[in-house]
Amino acid sequence: MTTSDMTTSDMINRQGPKARFELNSGLLMSGAVLIAIGGVLGLIGMALGSTALVTASRRWVRQLDVPPSEIAKQKWAKAKVATNAGVSAWRDASHEPAHSRP
């Protein structure tokens, strides 16, 4: 039999045993289970941490003399006054004639 007479299947069979890709399914499943357990533990940790932060924040807000909403209202009122003063100063300055330099 010459090379030209061989079919593709003959060539494949003559190459000898092929290396097979084999997975250890037990190890793969163990890894998947450990990843899932780690994810659940991570979620539990984030929930506990968030609860601690929210509790501490609520306690801190209760101890304040002035509630945060009132502080925000005061800051907003100051910002409005400052904005109006800036607008007035800009308008007054734009009506003045330009000064010439000596």
Side-chain angles (χ1 to χ4, degrees):
M1 186 186 297
T2 64
T3 310
S4 60
D5 294 337
M6 280 195 238
T7 64
T8 305
S9 62
D10 291 334
M11 289 181 169
I12 291 173
N13 290 336
R14 286 182 153 239
Q15 290 176 355
K18 288 188 170 190
R20 290 181 42 173
F21 184 74
E22 294 182 20
L23 282 176
N24 185 338
S25 60
L27 282 176
L28 189 61
M29 288 300 293
S30 298
V33 167
L34 288 173
I35 289 171
I37 290 171
V40 169
L41 288 175
L43 287 174
I44 291 171
M46 286 192 308
L48 290 174
S50 298
T51 302
L53 284 173
V54 167
T55 302
S57 298
R58 286 183 178 173
R59 197 173 304 134
W60 175 69
V61 167
R62 276 191 227 119
Q63 292 174 354
L64 292 175
D65 293 333
V66 180
S69 60
E70 187 61 35
I71 293 172
K73 286 177 188 174
Q74 292 171 0
K75 298 287 184 185
W76 182 251
K78 287 181 182 180
K80 284 174 35 177
V81 168
T83 301
N84 289 334
V87 168
S88 295
W90 179 70
R91 286 184 181 155
D92 292 344
S94 65
H95 292 310
E96 291 180 9
H99 297 289
S100 60
R101 293 187 178 204

